[in-house]
Amino acid sequence: MPGVIAEGFTLLCGPPKVGKSWMSLGLGVDVARGDRAFGTIGVEAGPVLYLALEDTARRLQTRLRKVLGDRPAPAGLRVDRPASAAGGLPARCKVRRSSPCPSA
């Protein structure tokens, strides 16, 4: 999304409960449709993989219904919620640390 999100790998970080997941899901739907992001920024339609690593199936379904409204899900949107999502990262993801975590 020109001027907002750089092409390639991007991390969206912030404190809890500020809307990161809602924004990501909404942008994913807009890109998959080729709609205007945030209602104003033109985006090129493209495939989207939304990984809901922290959401339960029920929460994800509720959010998708709210974001989509009465529109059908776009063909270019793939939503994945790994079986271990409720417990964090999927088992196939490995996190490596080059140094120990600092003490609190």
Side-chain angles (χ1 to χ4, degrees), residues 36-70:
R36 294 192 164 278
F38 302 120
T40 59
I41 302 169
V43 296
E44 183 178 333
V48 172
L49 172 61
Y50 181 82
L51 296 174
L53 300 178
E54 296 179 337
D55 292 338
T56 63
R58 179 181 289 180
R59 177 189 286 171
L60 182 56
Q61 185 177 39
T62 300
R63 287 185 177 195
L64 272 170
R65 285 183 177 149
K66 287 182 179 182
V67 169
L68 292 171
D70 58 357

Side-chain angles (χ1 to χ4, degrees), residues 24-36:
S24 298
L25 185 58
L27 289 175
V29 168
D30 291 340
V31 169
R33 288 186 180 286
D35 285 348
R36 294 192 164 278

